[in-house]
């Protein structure tokens, strides 16, 4: 804010993330939810995102799901696939 020059910061898009086995379950699940939000907003950043990838990430990140919320999210995206 106090500088005289601007600089371009290029940040990776969520779709550029390809998790490895080293990513935590929470991180993988959060990535799936963020991707889903981009699709629901018809974001220009969601052009190369698809429900199959979201489901894969969500299942990989489901972990223990004592209240069933993560399972419900996976079911929601799966249902969307069948409607589309």
């Amino acid at each position: 804010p106090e500088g005289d020059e601007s600089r371009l910061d290029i940040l990776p898009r969520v779709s550029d993330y390809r998790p490895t086995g080293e990513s935590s379950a929470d991180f993988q699940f959060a990535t799936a939810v963020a991707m889903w939000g981009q699709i629901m907003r018809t974001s220009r950043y969601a052009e190369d995102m698809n429900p199959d990838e979201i489901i894969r990430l969500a299942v990989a990140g489901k972990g223990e799901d004592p209240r069933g919320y993560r399972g419900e999210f996976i079911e929601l995206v799966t249902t969307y696939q069948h409607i589309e």
Side-chain angles (χ1 to χ4, degrees), residues 12-30:
R13 296 178 3 187
V14 171
S15 63
D16 294 335
Y17 170 73
R18 296 293 180 249
T20 65
E22 298 172 16
S23 299
S24 72
D26 289 339
F27 187 78
Q28 290 183 52
F29 192 81

Side-chain angles (χ1 to χ4, degrees), residues 1 3 6 8 13-16 18 20-21 24-25 30 34 36 43 49 51-54 63 65-66 72 74 77-78:
S6 65
L8 175 63
R13 296 178 3 187
V14 171
S15 63
D16 294 335
R18 296 293 180 249
T20 65
S24 72
W36 181 248
S43 169
M49 296 178 192
D52 289 330
E53 177 74 3
I54 293 169
D65 188 18
E72 285 183 23
I74 294 166
V77 178
T78 302

